[in-house]
Amino acid sequence: MNLTFTQTGINLKLKLLLLLLFTVTGITSLAQEKVFNGRVIDAQTGEPLPFVSVYFKNSDFGTTTNFDGNYSFKAIPPTDSLTVSYVGYITRSKAITKEKVQTINFQLQDNSTSLAEVLIRPTENPAFKILRQVVAHKALNNKEKLSAYQYESYNKIELDVDNITDAFKKRSLIKPVTSILDSIKLIAGDEGEPVLPVFISESLSDFYYLKNPKKTKEIIKASKVTGIGMDDGSLISQLIGSTFQEYNFYDNRMNLLNKEFVSPIADGWKLYYDYDLEDSLYINGVYCYKLKVIPRRAQDLVFGGYMWIAKENYALRQVDLSVGKSANLNFIEKVKIQQELQPTASGPYLPVKTRLLVKIISVGKQRPGMLAKIYTSSRNIQVNQPQALQFYAEPVELAEKALKHNDAFWNENRHDSLSATEQHVYAMIDSVREIPAVKTYVEIVNIIINGYKTVGKIDLGPYPYTYAYNNIEGHRFQLGFKTNPDFSRKIEFSGFGAYGTRDGRFKYRASGRAILSRRKWTEVGISDKEDLQQIGLESDKIGDNALFLASSRFGELKRPYRQHETELWAQRELFKGFTERITLRQRSFNPLFPFSYVFDSNENGVVLKNSFSTSEIIFDTRFANNELFLQSENSRISLGNKGWPVFNLRYLLGLKNALGSDVSYQRLEANVKQDIPMGILGTGRYELEAGRIFSTVPYPLLEVHLGNETPFYTRNAFALMNYFEFASDSYASLHYNQHLEGFGLNSIPLISKLKWRMVLTGNVLYGHLSDANLALLPAQDHKGRDLETFSQFTNGLPYAEVGYGFENIFKFLRVQAFHRLTYRNNPDANNFGIKLAAQFNL
């Protein structure tokens, strides 16, 4: 009994002691526990850094930042400083105070360390097992498994000038901006690098996806654009929506910056990546694996960084990935993409937040670079509720009042409120673009890029054709113009006037067109032109290669003739991707070289003529599936059709005796071209063309195949064929280019640092000329002068040439060597040559 009492007493005392201990501890803890919050950003770019570790050293107290770089946690601080660390950045610590609630912000500097080496392990990497499961579950987790989905999207884009040094501030052009640069600290922060904002935009849109057939549609409900040199807000508004910010890591290759990057969860991931399983943790209540992504070759178009995989279904939950400056990209120092994904009601995951940063490299230590920052968020997600097929007919649609919403609308409807620095950006851009020196600089850049100088309601140009010198015209001076949307958004007038000092003749073109509908693009137009041309070098064959066309007007013109041409046309897009055009054309041909053709024959022999006229009806059909157009001012800009082939068909009917026409004939042409992504082998591009003339015609109306006697490469010409070397009335040709990107060269030491890219070319042509058309070619003209003729295809042998070389030399130069494989013994045959081209590619 006494023992029991003692034991009971001991238990009671123990309980009282423990109660006292817990009470004191609790009171002490309550007194010492503090709340810590803040934000972690990149000191150079100002972008928030997600998934950063925030902690007290040598303790269990800590957390990680969320997608927006924010953190908040409670702790009993065991030390006097709070630390943040993240791979690729310099670890920082800041002192804490005695305040119960403390806001501590961090700006981290890039560590600029190289990527980790690939690890070799005696046993299988445990991360590989996870990757195999991720790939096996891709079809279940990919958003494209859904029959349809839709959401409201908010997009924000900011462009900044960075690397603003003291030397840069002293430049004469920048001095007027000095007062504004002094306030840049408001944007950079106390510890950040200063940047000068030049563009900011926001858009709010409804985005729709349909799986079968695969269609997307975006209705841009609101858009706000402020930028230096950005005049056409409607074009920019179409470009800043979700349509152009789609990044799906479940695809084997992602199109980013118009380049094909290998996804870290691609089917062939082991060829490009190694991985480390670094941690397992909960993200928003979901248990995830944290995998470090390590490129096997830094020069490849691949990513490095981290991704978080949900253990439950092996779905991609978050990514924080970068592309370094070692990658085979031009003008790009860094690409960083962060994404947060959430499951839908039907299972597959959709991105709910995406942040993309692109740092454009500075050309020299004292010269500025640029930063592009893009943020996208999605909400109100609905799945498997497809719209009617016709709903998707127009992929991008700008609401009528999209550009007219006030600040109150944006404050209520934007997904995330603007920070104080972002609000300051709008005011700063407005101030900068009003500075006269900035206006002048923007105007010069626009002239260089577009070729025109704006003077009120008229644009003067294009400048590449302003001057030429040749044996016919001597010094040729030309001035052209076109009206701009300030004149009219429905009618456009354009033209040029040119004068040659040697021939003393005036040349001109005057045209006008009316846009009848922009929804299903419809226009009508008329044109009248008188100018010099060269057989086989007509401007409609050369296309839009301004350098090649301008250079062909210099020196000795080959088979020149004067032409007067009048056209009347109408064009309409009947349905998405399918366009019809009908043209009425009247042309005259007046040669400036010895020329005649057999016009007729009688009892006295053949009748020769040395000039002729044609009147023609031309039907053009073009089909490009999934082609995306943006409307820019009074024209449309094609952004391609995602790798589908583009078909063109032309039928031409010549009407004899109509408006003085001397020739009756029929001609049919077909053309197909396509870009084919080939993964590790880069991109293949082909253009296949065939045609036939069903009548006898003077040889200038035959297909005179486009040669190239200039030092410049052009894709639709045969590099080593002379002008007027071959002509046909039936033909087929193939132009092929294989752009190997960094394939092969990325693996060669030293060469890989040059970032050159191999390119291979093959051109093949076969043609035939009928006896009836040969019979129209006399040996001498009507003055008894011997006539120069052209070569013919013999024994079924095609013309063929191959080329090989490098592009991306000094970031813009393409140099190729070409070999002629057939007809090497033709008169004046050029069997080997080097061709150059200037091109700007990322």
Side-chain angles (χ1 to χ4, degrees), residues 806-815 836-840:
F806 302 95
E807 52 188 353
N808 206 42
I809 301 173
F810 304 120
K811 300 186 185 301
F812 74 94
L813 190 63
R814 171 173 172 168
V815 179
L836 308 176
Q839 53 189 26
F840 291 91

Side-chain angles (χ1 to χ4, degrees), residues 326-493:
S326 297
N328 199 326
L329 288 171
N330 286 333
F331 317 112
I332 303 296
E333 182 175 328
K334 182 180 181 181
V335 179
K336 188 177 185 69
I337 185 167
Q338 300 159 337
Q339 193 172 79
E340 179 182 336
L341 301 96
Q342 300 238 350
T344 62
S346 298
Y349 280 58
L350 276 173
V352 291
K353 291 184 179 180
T354 301
R355 187 178 291 112
L356 174 68
L357 181 140
V358 180
K359 182 172 180 2
I360 301 172
I361 197 167
S362 306
V363 184
K365 293 183 179 180
Q366 301 301 322
R367 295 181 180 272
M370 287 203 74
L371 291 172
K373 298 182 282 188
I374 302 172
Y375 172 75
T376 303
S377 70
S378 306
R379 67 185 185 189
N380 301 331
I381 296 172
Q382 300 178 41
V383 298
N384 297 332
Q385 298 179 25
Q387 307 290 326
L389 187 59
Q390 183 60 31
F391 174 80
Y392 303 90
E394 195 67 33
V396 180
E397 185 177 315
L398 187 65
E400 184 177 350
K401 297 182 179 180
L403 302 175
K404 300 178 181 179
H405 293 288
N406 57 23
D407 291 341
F409 171 88
W410 285 104
N411 291 335
E412 182 180 350
N413 289 279
R414 63 167 59 96
H415 290 189
D416 299 281
S417 60
L418 292 181
S419 65
T421 57
E422 288 170 332
Q423 294 174 24
H424 186 69
V425 166
Y426 276 106
M428 181 173 285
I429 291 175
D430 289 339
S431 300
V432 171
R433 65 181 179 183
E434 292 303 317
I435 296 174
V438 173
K439 288 183 176 180
T440 300
Y441 180 75
V442 168
E443 184 177 356
I444 292 172
V445 171
N446 280 333
I447 291 173
I448 293 173
I449 294 175
N450 301 318
Y452 286 89
K453 173 180 171 56
T454 299
V455 181
K457 299 180 179 181
I458 294 176
D459 296 339
L460 299 178
Y463 70 86
Y465 307 127
T466 302
Y467 173 78
Y469 180 82
N470 58 68
N471 61 316
I472 301 296
E473 298 173 290
H475 299 279
R476 175 189 171 112
F477 300 95
Q478 178 174 314
L479 180 64
F481 81 97
K482 65 177 180 178
T483 59
N484 56 45
D486 290 339
F487 175 81
S488 173
R489 292 188 61 84
K490 292 185 177 180
I491 299 175
E492 180 185 270
F493 296 104

Side-chain angles (χ1 to χ4, degrees), residues 12 21 44 53 69 156 199 258 291 305 463 588 590 629 672 705 787 830 837:
L12 182 59
L21 179 63
Q44 186 178 37
S53 297
K156 179 172 58 184
F199 174 86
N258 207 28
L291 297 182
Y463 70 86
S588 65
N590 296 289
F629 282 101
V672 58
H705 302 290
L787 295 181
N830 187 10

Side-chain angles (χ1 to χ4, degrees), residues 733-751:
S733 66
L734 172 65
H735 294 274
Y736 186 83
N737 279 274
Q738 184 70 39
H739 299 267
L740 292 169
E741 297 292 340
F743 176 71
L745 300 182
N746 282 351
S747 302
I748 303 176
L750 299 181
I751 294 292

Side-chain angles (χ1 to χ4, degrees), residues 594-597 608-611 778 780-785 787:
F595 168 78
S596 288
Y597 74 99
L608 301 180
K609 285 193 68 172
N610 69 329
S611 64
Q780 297 178 325
D781 69 358
H782 61 293
K783 294 183 178 181
R785 297 173 296 184
L787 295 181

Side-chain angles (χ1 to χ4, degrees), residues 502-564:
R502 177 172 296 175
D503 65 357
R505 296 180 67 96
F506 180 74
K507 298 91 178 174
Y508 71 90
R509 180 179 64 83
S511 68
R513 66 187 182 101
I515 302 170
L516 305 182
S517 173
R518 279 180 159 83
R519 187 170 183 84
K520 288 190 174 181
W521 192 272
T522 305
E523 67 175 56
V524 295
I526 187 170
S527 172
D528 188 69
K529 179 174 71 172
E530 185 166 325
D531 201 358
L532 282 182
Q533 295 277 13
Q534 301 175 73
I535 294 179
L537 285 172
E538 288 80 5
S539 56
D540 59 341
K541 289 186 178 181
I542 294 176
D544 59 357
N545 192 322
L547 186 62
F548 182 81
L549 181 59
S551 66
S552 69
R553 288 191 175 276
F554 282 83
E556 183 178 353
L557 302 187
K558 304 294 181 68
R559 297 173 187 80
Y561 64 94
R562 293 193 180 98
Q563 177 177 274
H564 183 269

